[in-house]
mmCIF file of all heavy atoms in Angstrom:
data_model
loop_
_atom_site.group_PDB
_atom_site.id
_atom_site.type_symbol
_atom_site.label_atom_id
_atom_site.label_comp_id
_atom_site.label_asym_id
_atom_site.label_seq_id
_atom_site.Cartn_x
_atom_site.Cartn_y
_atom_site.Cartn_z
ATOM 1 N N VAL A 21 21.116 -56.821 80.619
ATOM 2 C CA VAL A 21 21.299 -58.193 80.278
ATOM 3 C C VAL A 21 22.767 -58.500 79.941
ATOM 4 O O VAL A 21 23.333 -57.664 79.151
ATOM 5 C CB VAL A 21 20.418 -58.662 79.207
ATOM 6 C CG1 VAL A 21 20.607 -60.098 78.760
ATOM 7 C CG2 VAL A 21 18.874 -58.444 79.570
ATOM 8 N N GLU A 22 23.292 -59.490 80.397
ATOM 9 C CA GLU A 22 24.715 -59.896 80.002
ATOM 10 C C GLU A 22 24.595 -60.840 78.825
ATOM 11 O O GLU A 22 23.843 -61.771 78.812
ATOM 12 C CB GLU A 22 25.442 -60.575 81.036
ATOM 13 C CG GLU A 22 25.908 -59.640 82.165
ATOM 14 C CD GLU A 22 26.923 -60.232 83.205
ATOM 15 O OE1 GLU A 22 27.263 -61.451 82.989
ATOM 16 O OE2 GLU A 22 27.363 -59.621 84.094
ATOM 17 N N ALA A 23 25.505 -60.619 77.719
ATOM 18 C CA ALA A 23 25.510 -61.402 76.609
ATOM 19 C C ALA A 23 26.809 -61.110 75.809
ATOM 20 O O ALA A 23 27.443 -60.148 76.131
ATOM 21 C CB ALA A 23 24.295 -61.126 75.719
ATOM 22 N N ARG A 24 27.046 -61.873 74.733
ATOM 23 C CA ARG A 24 28.283 -61.702 73.916
ATOM 24 C C ARG A 24 28.130 -60.425 73.114
ATOM 25 O O ARG A 24 29.049 -59.676 72.865
ATOM 26 C CB ARG A 24 28.476 -62.883 72.987
ATOM 27 C CG ARG A 24 28.943 -64.151 73.676
ATOM 28 C CD ARG A 24 29.241 -65.246 72.702
ATOM 29 N NE ARG A 24 27.933 -65.354 71.890
ATOM 30 C CZ ARG A 24 27.425 -66.550 71.590
ATOM 31 N NH1 ARG A 24 27.924 -67.612 71.945
ATOM 32 N NH2 ARG A 24 26.298 -66.564 70.922
ATOM 33 N N ASP A 25 26.863 -60.196 72.616
ATOM 34 C CA ASP A 25 26.640 -59.037 71.775
ATOM 35 C C ASP A 25 25.185 -58.544 72.002
ATOM 36 O O ASP A 25 24.380 -59.183 72.729
ATOM 37 C CB ASP A 25 26.892 -59.315 70.319
ATOM 38 C CG ASP A 25 26.135 -60.384 69.746
ATOM 39 O OD1 ASP A 25 24.922 -60.583 70.052
ATOM 40 O OD2 ASP A 25 26.703 -61.164 68.949
ATOM 41 N N ALA A 26 24.826 -57.400 71.413
ATOM 42 C CA ALA A 26 23.533 -56.782 71.656
ATOM 43 C C ALA A 26 22.391 -57.647 71.164
ATOM 44 O O ALA A 26 21.290 -57.828 71.825
ATOM 45 C CB ALA A 26 23.447 -55.448 70.972
ATOM 46 N N THR A 27 22.571 -58.365 70.010
ATOM 47 C CA THR A 27 21.445 -59.232 69.457
ATOM 48 C C THR A 27 21.210 -60.393 70.407
ATOM 49 O O THR A 27 20.094 -60.668 70.692
ATOM 50 C CB THR A 27 21.926 -59.732 68.102
ATOM 51 O OG1 THR A 27 22.166 -58.623 67.232
ATOM 52 C CG2 THR A 27 20.819 -60.625 67.517
ATOM 53 N N GLU A 28 22.252 -60.962 70.893
ATOM 54 C CA GLU A 28 22.111 -62.056 71.867
ATOM 55 C C GLU A 28 21.402 -61.559 73.141
ATOM 56 O O GLU A 28 20.556 -62.328 73.647
ATOM 57 C CB GLU A 28 23.475 -62.715 72.225
ATOM 58 C CG GLU A 28 23.226 -63.920 73.150
ATOM 59 C CD GLU A 28 24.534 -64.542 73.595
ATOM 60 O OE1 GLU A 28 25.285 -65.050 72.740
ATOM 61 O OE2 GLU A 28 24.893 -64.421 74.714
ATOM 62 N N ALA A 29 21.696 -60.388 73.588
ATOM 63 C CA ALA A 29 21.073 -59.842 74.742
ATOM 64 C C ALA A 29 19.523 -59.787 74.568
ATOM 65 O O ALA A 29 18.759 -60.091 75.440
ATOM 66 C CB ALA A 29 21.585 -58.469 75.137
ATOM 67 N N VAL A 30 19.139 -59.279 73.411
ATOM 68 C CA VAL A 30 17.640 -59.140 73.121
ATOM 69 C C VAL A 30 17.037 -60.530 73.058
ATOM 70 O O VAL A 30 15.968 -60.665 73.617
ATOM 71 C CB VAL A 30 17.400 -58.344 71.804
ATOM 72 C CG1 VAL A 30 16.047 -58.401 71.423
ATOM 73 C CG2 VAL A 30 17.994 -56.915 71.954
ATOM 74 N N ILE A 31 17.747 -61.435 72.396
ATOM 75 C CA ILE A 31 17.074 -62.824 72.267
ATOM 76 C C ILE A 31 17.098 -63.448 73.672
ATOM 77 O O ILE A 31 15.995 -64.071 73.943
ATOM 78 C CB ILE A 31 18.072 -63.655 71.284
ATOM 79 C CG1 ILE A 31 17.939 -63.096 69.879
ATOM 80 C CG2 ILE A 31 17.683 -65.133 71.436
ATOM 81 C CD1 ILE A 31 18.865 -63.724 68.933
ATOM 82 N N ARG A 32 18.002 -63.249 74.493
ATOM 83 C CA ARG A 32 17.952 -63.860 75.876
ATOM 84 C C ARG A 32 16.773 -63.276 76.685
ATOM 85 O O ARG A 32 16.020 -63.943 77.303
ATOM 86 C CB ARG A 32 19.268 -63.522 76.582
ATOM 87 C CG ARG A 32 20.405 -64.398 76.286
ATOM 88 C CD ARG A 32 21.655 -64.009 77.143
ATOM 89 N NE ARG A 32 22.642 -64.871 76.683
ATOM 90 C CZ ARG A 32 23.544 -65.426 77.598
ATOM 91 N NH1 ARG A 32 23.468 -65.117 78.872
ATOM 92 N NH2 ARG A 32 24.503 -66.195 77.162
ATOM 93 N N LEU A 33 16.613 -61.972 76.560
ATOM 94 C CA LEU A 33 15.499 -61.327 77.363
ATOM 95 C C LEU A 33 14.125 -61.825 76.700
ATOM 96 O O LEU A 33 13.252 -62.175 77.448
ATOM 97 C CB LEU A 33 15.594 -59.816 77.124
ATOM 98 C CG LEU A 33 14.447 -58.958 77.803
ATOM 99 C CD1 LEU A 33 14.428 -59.176 79.262
ATOM 100 C CD2 LEU A 33 14.492 -57.570 77.325
ATOM 101 N N ARG A 34 14.067 -61.868 75.451
ATOM 102 C CA ARG A 34 12.801 -62.301 74.733
ATOM 103 C C ARG A 34 12.490 -63.735 75.193
ATOM 104 O O ARG A 34 11.309 -63.990 75.539
ATOM 105 C CB ARG A 34 13.016 -62.198 73.339
ATOM 106 C CG ARG A 34 11.708 -62.411 72.465
ATOM 107 C CD ARG A 34 11.945 -62.365 71.043
ATOM 108 N NE ARG A 34 12.733 -63.527 70.527
ATOM 109 C CZ ARG A 34 13.543 -63.519 69.474
ATOM 110 N NH1 ARG A 34 13.711 -62.504 68.790
ATOM 111 N NH2 ARG A 34 14.233 -64.629 69.188
ATOM 112 N N GLU A 35 13.407 -64.638 75.229
ATOM 113 C CA GLU A 35 13.240 -66.012 75.517
ATOM 114 C C GLU A 35 12.832 -66.090 77.076
ATOM 115 O O GLU A 35 11.978 -66.937 77.417
ATOM 116 C CB GLU A 35 14.423 -66.865 75.260
ATOM 117 C CG GLU A 35 14.532 -67.098 73.734
ATOM 118 C CD GLU A 35 15.783 -67.877 73.287
ATOM 119 O OE1 GLU A 35 16.691 -68.021 74.245
ATOM 120 O OE2 GLU A 35 15.898 -68.252 72.181
ATOM 121 N N ARG A 36 13.564 -65.374 77.865
ATOM 122 C CA ARG A 36 13.225 -65.392 79.325
ATOM 123 C C ARG A 36 11.837 -64.903 79.595
ATOM 124 O O ARG A 36 11.136 -65.445 80.490
ATOM 125 C CB ARG A 36 14.290 -64.558 80.154
ATOM 126 C CG ARG A 36 14.107 -64.736 81.578
ATOM 127 C CD ARG A 36 15.009 -63.935 82.412
ATOM 128 N NE ARG A 36 14.965 -62.467 82.181
ATOM 129 C CZ ARG A 36 13.925 -61.703 82.526
ATOM 130 N NH1 ARG A 36 12.888 -62.228 83.209
ATOM 131 N NH2 ARG A 36 13.940 -60.457 82.238
ATOM 132 N N MET A 37 11.298 -63.971 78.798
ATOM 133 C CA MET A 37 9.991 -63.359 79.030
ATOM 134 C C MET A 37 8.929 -64.178 78.237
ATOM 135 O O MET A 37 7.738 -63.855 78.274
ATOM 136 C CB MET A 37 9.927 -61.926 78.570
ATOM 137 C CG MET A 37 10.866 -61.090 79.485
ATOM 138 S SD MET A 37 10.738 -59.297 78.942
ATOM 139 C CE MET A 37 9.206 -58.794 79.467
ATOM 140 N N LEU A 38 9.355 -65.262 77.569
ATOM 141 C CA LEU A 38 8.474 -66.168 76.768
ATOM 142 C C LEU A 38 7.700 -65.351 75.722
ATOM 143 O O LEU A 38 6.464 -65.571 75.495
ATOM 144 C CB LEU A 38 7.493 -66.875 77.754
ATOM 145 C CG LEU A 38 8.127 -67.692 78.837
ATOM 146 C CD1 LEU A 38 7.125 -68.281 79.744
ATOM 147 C CD2 LEU A 38 8.994 -68.763 78.255
#
Side-chain angles (χ1 to χ4, degrees):
V21 176
E22 284 192 0
R24 287 182 309 227
D25 58 40
T27 302
E28 182 183 294
V30 174
I31 292 169
R32 283 179 177 222
L33 176 66
R34 187 181 73 207
E35 289 175 348
R36 189 181 59 69
M37 294 180 72
L38 303 176

